[in-house]
């Protein structure tokens, strides 16, 4: 994925933006959900199983539940699944899998959480709150998408899935500075920013970090 796509993904779960207005107990159905039980299958984009017309509850942009009337399917989703995908671009990771395998802040999360990844890095987006999407969409319909734009602190925080240390950690200004130590020029530019603690600056430089990481031949793939 290129940088422009990443910037779009930072704002919201794209496919759920219009569906998640007033999302408490909002029900919807999709034709197919691709379920993945390992990172090998995720990176190969080769689903381990496919669910036809599962039920979906959207509690927020950062908390979505997928389930079935079949209890065996529900058990598989809870105990075996790592991630699932709707279409080619909208991915969710299992909070149950995160809690079983990663220390850190995974205990805050429920159900399925938005997932973004490349072959070398994976991260999630989560927040206890969410943007007021209804107002945002009204602004778009009025021809001014910034009219009711969410405040900076309404966007979800980013959490890095650290496979080496089996930890899920929030990417705040301190953690980002630590990550950027591998690329001193990028770290210097980041720390010189006046608002380097602001979420939009953190996200922007984290995206720069991802691009640098993906182009770095010394950085291994998630699965090797």
């Amino acid at each position: 994925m290129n940088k422009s796509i990443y910037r779009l993904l930072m704002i919201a779960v794209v496919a759920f933006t219009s569906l998640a207005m007033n999302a408490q107990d909002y029900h919807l159905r999709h034709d197919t959900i691709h379920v993945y039980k390992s990172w090998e299958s995720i990176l190969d984009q080769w689903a381990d199983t496919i669910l036809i017309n599962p039920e979906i509850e959207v509690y927020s942009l950062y908390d979505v539940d997928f389930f079935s009337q079949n209890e065996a399917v529900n058990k598989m989703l809870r105990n075996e699944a790592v991630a699932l995908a709707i279409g080619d671009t909208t991915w969710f990771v299992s909070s149950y899998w995160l809690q079983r395998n990663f220390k850190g802040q995974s205990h805050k999360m429920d159900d399925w959480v938005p997932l973004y990844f490349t072959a070398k890095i994976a991260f999630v987006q989560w927040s206890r709150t969410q943007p007021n999407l209804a107002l945002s969409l009204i602004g778009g319909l009025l021809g001014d998408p910034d009219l009711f734009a969410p405040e900076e602190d309404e966007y979800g925080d980013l959490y890095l899935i650290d496979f080496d240390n089996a930890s899920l950690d929030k990417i705040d200004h301190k953690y980002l500075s630590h990550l950027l130590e591998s690329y001193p020029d990028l770290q210097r530019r980041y720390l010189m920013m006046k608002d380097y603690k602001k979420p939009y600056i953190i996200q922007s430089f984290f995206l720069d970090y991802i691009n640098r990481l993906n182009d770095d031949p010394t950085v291994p793939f998630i699965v090797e």
Side-chain angles (χ1 to χ4, degrees):
M1 298 180 187
N2 60 32
K3 185 183 294 187
S4 62
I5 295 176
Y6 270 116
R7 292 189 190 283
L8 182 60
L9 291 176
M10 291 304 95
I11 296 174
V13 182
V14 178
F16 278 79
T17 299
S18 59
L19 294 171
M21 292 188 305
N22 304 319
Q24 289 295 328
D25 295 322
Y26 184 85
H27 294 266
L28 63 150
R29 297 181 73 85
H30 278 273
D31 290 334
T32 350
I33 300 292
H34 294 80
V35 181
Y36 300 81
K37 297 182 180 181
S38 70
W39 273 96
E40 289 85 353
S41 62
I42 291 171
L43 295 179
D44 289 340
Q45 304 253 334
W46 191 265
D48 292 285
T49 188
I50 294 175
L51 302 184
I52 306 298
N53 286 332
E55 296 196 37
I56 305 174
E57 280 194 28
V58 180
Y59 299 109
S60 80
L61 288 176
Y62 314 112
D63 180 357
V64 181
D65 198 13
F66 298 83
F67 58 97
S68 167
Q69 296 302 317
N70 185 318
E71 191 54 39
V73 172
N74 291 333
K75 185 176 180 179
M76 178 273 294
L77 288 173
R78 188 179 184 97
N79 298 329
E80 301 178 40
V82 174
L84 51 79
I86 303 172
D88 297 327
T89 59
T90 305
W91 288 77
F92 293 86
V93 66
S94 166
S95 67
Y96 313 111
W97 175 79
L98 288 173
Q99 290 160 14
R100 286 194 300 269
N101 294 279
F102 295 86
K103 59 180 183 286
Q105 303 189 50
S106 59
H107 65 279
K108 296 180 177 180
M109 302 171 186
D110 295 308
D111 304 314
W112 297 78
V113 183
L115 169 69
Y116 312 107
F117 63 91
T118 73
K120 296 183 176 183
I121 191 171
F123 58 100
V124 303
Q125 187 176 26
W126 181 84
S127 175
R128 292 194 184 279
T129 60
Q130 65 174 20
N132 190 326
L133 296 177
L135 291 178
S136 297
L137 291 172
I138 290 171
L141 291 173
L142 294 176
D144 185 357
D146 295 325
L147 184 61
F148 298 112
E151 297 296 329
E152 283 178 19
D153 58 1
E154 289 185 296
Y155 294 124
D157 294 312
L158 305 182
Y159 294 78
L160 180 67
I161 302 177
D162 185 341
F163 291 88
D164 291 336
N165 297 303
S167 182
L168 184 74
D169 299 299
K170 179 180 174 180
I171 303 170
D172 57 15
H173 65 283
K174 292 181 180 179
Y175 191 36
L176 178 59
S177 179
H178 167 69
L179 293 175
L180 294 179
E181 288 175 358
S182 300
Y183 306 106
D185 62 315
L186 198 55
Q187 185 190 49
R188 283 194 299 272
R189 285 200 289 118
Y190 170 63
L191 294 176
M192 288 174 62
M193 300 295 294
K194 179 181 177 181
D195 295 330
Y196 73 97
K197 294 183 180 181
K198 294 282 189 179
Y200 75 96
I201 295 292
I202 291 172
Q203 291 189 2
S204 177
F205 274 86
F206 181 62
L207 297 178
D208 290 339
Y209 169 74
I210 291 172
N211 287 325
R212 190 71 67 90
L213 198 75
N214 288 333
D215 292 336
D216 188 342
T218 68
V219 176
F221 293 154
I222 292 173
V223 177
E224 283 197 331

